[in-house]
Amino acid sequence: MAKVKTRFAPSPTGRMHVGNLRTALYAYLIAKHEGGTFMLRIEDTDQERYMEGAVDIINRTLAKTGLIHDEGPDKDGGCGPYVQSERQKAGIYLEYAKKLIEKGEAYYCFCDKERLDSLKQVVAGKEIVVYDKHCLHLSKKEVEAKLAAGVPYVIRQNVPQEGTTKFVDEIYGEIEVPNAELEDMILIKSDGYPTYNFANVVDDHLMGITHVVRGNEYLSSAPKYNLLYQAFGWDVPVYVHCPLITDEEHKKLAKRSGHSSYEDLLDQGFVSEAIVNYVALLGWCPQDNREIFSLEELVEAFDYHNMSKSPAVFDIQKLRWMNGEYLKAMDDERFYESALPYLKQAITRELDFRRIAQMVKTRIEVYPDIPEMVDFFEKVPEYDVSMYANKKSKTNEQTCLETLTELLPKLEAQEDYSNDALFEMLKAYVDEKGCKVNFVMWPLRVAVSGKAMTPAGATEIMSVLGKEESLARIRAAIQKLRA
């Protein structure tokens, strides 16, 4: 059996959609699981949708996600060029289209827009052109005369009208389509460029692709591809069609969802490894139901036979959870460097940002959670004194006022404001009072932070704020409770 070779063949039209990233990932995993080759090809035949800078986005995304290609525009493996517009200029597609014309499997079509418009039909609520093979019946002489006169043309596939075309997909099984339902699709457009459908069949064959991985929206086109493979007498590759990705409302994941592209997710504070891990599980399930995988572990575990036919729901909350797991496990220095811009959004004063980063590391799911969690270090937010009443710590406004008033002189006399020293001093006070630790820590936490939920306890917050700022906040809290 031939060595496995897959390809990722994106169109440079903008940011990389999550569905495209999954296609790239699955193609990579299928190749690497079998010790095969993963190739990058740029499919830029749709010049109207081409976006300047989009090829850079593709390269950047593959580099950041670790999906490093073995062969492509920058790594010649002997199958180049790897950019379809360059292959078009080299005349590859026209050459193969003409081979089909010679075999009677394709033909020149000279019909103008007016004639094509007259063939429009409404099928399932959509207006489509069902071509009537008009130009197939032109004599060789008529065709040559039109070509010599420079009449614009396209080249169409000559699809048989009788019988059926079968193909097997590894996920969806055997699919059979009546040929009468297939159109004579355009292979070469009037601008000389190949259509996506034709170019990828020619390129996949010439580049030795063994497994074609793509979204299931291409299932309906597969019979036409198979007819082309048959017409050329080429082997059909293994098809792996991936299930649809939907949003939480079970609609196709669209750009307006705000998290449909890899770069959207990076902008929202997700880390690349978590995105890749989560995207791998959109349509594939490991046999042991494990959820956290490094890319190397995915290569080891990935078996495309365990992919699902059912649509995969993109659950942003699940991704947030997974991202939080990655942040917890992250190297402290890397986390600090990534978190620092978010800390500085909320805190302008000079504080120990490394310690604050450590406080939030296990408590956030994405980096943008940070500012709201630490903004009290900048200043105490407005809060209602009713917050001092807490069932768990058995406190109320009166007991909190008494505790803070008794603690103030002790805290003023305390020289060492390290976390441990503060805790020891407060523990001695707790023992003396014969109360629970929380009875004392709760009013202190509210006084220095103005919040019920903080990323660290009262003494740790005070050790970061320092003596002067902590005392100022406690005095203000006493005033507030007395008012």
Side-chain angles (χ1 to χ4, degrees):
M1 188 180 159
K3 185 180 175 187
V4 170
K5 185 176 183 181
T6 64
R7 47 74 166 173
F8 176 50
S11 298
T13 57
R15 287 187 158 194
M16 195 183 291
H17 189 276
V18 165
N20 280 1
L21 177 59
R22 184 188 60 179
T23 299
L25 176 60
Y26 285 6
Y28 176 87
L29 295 175
I30 288 170
K32 295 299 163 187
H33 185 74
E34 298 292 340
T37 303
F38 174 61
M39 187 188 86
L40 172 65
R41 181 173 74 225
I42 303 298
E43 299 202 336
D44 60 347
T45 57
D46 190 343
Q47 293 289 292
E48 284 177 21
R49 292 178 65 227
Y50 178 84
M51 191 185 105
E52 202 62 51
V55 173
D56 294 335
I57 291 174
I58 292 163
N59 288 323
R60 194 164 61 236
T61 301
L62 293 179
K64 279 185 184 172
T65 52
L67 306 181
I68 309 302
H69 51 280
D70 305 297
E71 201 178 310
D74 55 338
K75 294 179 188 173
D76 192 354
C79 298
Y82 294 87
V83 178
Q84 285 188 335
S85 56
E86 292 173 24
R87 295 174 73 76
Q88 186 262 343
K89 282 179 192 135
I92 292 169
Y93 306 115
L94 192 56
E95 176 196 339
Y96 279 90
K98 284 180 175 173
K99 284 182 180 180
L100 290 180
I101 290 172
E102 284 164 23
K103 292 177 159 205
E105 300 284 356
Y107 58 94
Y108 290 101
C109 171
F110 302 94
C111 293
D112 57 19
K113 187 177 181 300
E114 199 178 355
R115 180 166 197 284
L116 293 173
D117 285 346
S118 73
L119 299 173
K120 278 182 180 168
Q121 294 180 19
V122 176
V123 177
K126 273 188 179 175
E127 199 174 53
I128 58 165
V129 171
V130 180
Y131 191 65
D132 59 359
K133 291 186 180 282
H134 174 75
C135 290
L136 176 63
H137 309 298
L138 295 175
S139 67
K140 196 172 181 188
K141 202 172 176 182
E142 286 174 302
V143 169
E144 282 168 2
K146 285 181 183 289
L147 290 174
V151 177
Y153 68 85
V154 298
I155 297 177
R156 288 184 182 272
Q157 182 179 8
N158 183 16
V159 175
Q161 290 176 296
E162 305 295 318
T164 61
T165 297
K166 279 185 199 170
F167 74 97
V168 175
D169 177 74
E170 294 294 301
I171 312 306
Y172 292 87
E174 186 174 274
I175 295 173
E176 188 171 0
V177 180
N179 289 334
E181 288 179 13
L182 304 176
E183 60 178 329
D184 282 8
M185 70 172 176
I186 294 170
L187 308 180
I188 303 287
K189 296 179 282 190
S190 56
D191 60 5
Y193 274 86
T195 54
Y196 165 83
N197 290 322
F198 183 55
N200 80 60
V201 167
V202 171
D203 289 345
D204 285 347
H205 172 74
L206 295 180
M207 293 173 162
I209 302 303
T210 61
H211 292 63
V212 170
V213 184
R214 59 179 167 233
N216 73 354
E217 65 268 30
Y218 295 106
L219 267 175
S220 60
S221 303
K224 291 179 275 194
Y225 303 151
N226 272 25
L227 286 169
L228 287 172
Y229 282 110
Q230 284 169 28
F232 281 119
W234 295 340
D235 289 340
V236 176
V238 175
Y239 290 129
V240 181
H241 284 89
C242 310
L244 182 70
I245 300 176
T246 73
D247 59 20
E248 286 94 335
E249 272 85 53
H250 303 286
K251 296 191 174 89
K252 187 174 177 179
L253 189 66
K255 284 184 180 170
R256 66 180 172 276
S257 74
H259 46 254
S260 69
S261 85
Y262 170 75
E263 292 198 334
D264 289 340
L265 295 171
L266 288 185
D267 292 346
Q268 287 161 31
F270 291 93
V271 297
S272 198
E273 298 92 326
I275 298 169
V276 170
N277 187 161
Y278 182 67
V279 166
L281 301 174
L282 290 173
W284 169 76
C285 185
Q287 286 179 308
D288 59 1
N289 289 325
R290 180 178 158 194
E291 292 189 298
I292 305 293
F293 289 89
S294 67
L295 186 57
E296 294 73 23
E297 288 165 339
L298 283 170
V299 167
E300 189 66 34
F302 193 80
D303 178 353
Y304 64 81
H305 297 98
N306 293 336
M307 281 167 60
S308 169
K309 295 178 193 174
S310 308
V313 177
F314 189 98
D315 180 349
I316 196 74
Q317 296 310 321
K318 179 74 181 281
L319 175 56
R320 281 180 64 92
W321 166 80
M322 187 174 279
N323 201 70
E325 295 301 299
Y326 272 86
L327 294 180
K328 282 177 195 152
M330 190 180 282
D331 169 76
D332 286 346
E333 187 60 28
R334 181 183 163 197
F335 179 81
Y336 169 68
E337 284 171 12
S338 302
L340 190 57
Y342 296 92
L343 292 168
K344 287 187 170 178
Q345 269 179 38
I347 308 167
T348 60
R349 56 171 66 211
E350 285 296 316
L351 293 174
D352 187 341
F353 284 116
R354 281 184 188 277
R355 281 189 62 196
I356 300 171
Q358 277 305 299
M359 288 178 187
V360 300
K361 187 173 181 228
T362 59
R363 294 171 178 266
I364 62 166
E365 291 183 323
V366 289
Y367 293 118
D369 291 346
I370 293 173
E372 196 181 340
M373 196 174 277
V374 302
D375 57 1
F376 67 87
F377 280 108
E378 180 71 6
K379 64 172 189 177
V380 178
E382 273 303 313
Y383 65 92
D384 195 314
V385 289
S386 64
M387 199 192 293
Y388 284 101
N390 183 279
K391 269 187 186 171
K392 198 175 169 189
S393 56
K394 296 189 168 60
T395 58
N396 58 42
E397 290 166 42
Q398 188 55 40
T399 63
C400 288
L401 175 59
E402 286 165 13
T403 300
L404 292 175
T405 306
E406 281 180 22
L407 279 175
L408 185 59
K410 293 179 185 290
L411 289 165
E412 286 171 336
Q414 176 77 12
E415 289 301 323
D416 186 349
Y417 260 64
S418 68
N419 180 47
D420 291 350
L422 282 168
F423 192 84
E424 282 306 309
M425 184 271 277
L426 291 166
K427 183 78 173 68
Y429 172 76
V430 163
D431 293 343
E432 186 189 315
K433 291 276 285 186
C435 62
K436 291 268 173 62
V437 172
N438 248 7
F439 185 81
V440 173
M441 293 301 183
W442 180 257
L444 268 178
R445 182 205 290 252
V446 176
V448 295
S449 73
K451 292 192 174 192
M453 297 286 288
T454 54
T459 54
E460 204 172 342
I461 291 167
M462 289 164 70
S463 72
V464 171
L465 287 171
K467 182 173 181 176
E468 198 182 316
E469 178 65 20
S470 297
L471 291 173
R473 291 182 178 203
I474 291 163
R475 289 184 192 116
I478 291 169
Q479 290 297 109
K480 198 170 177 132
L481 280 163
R482 280 181 179 154

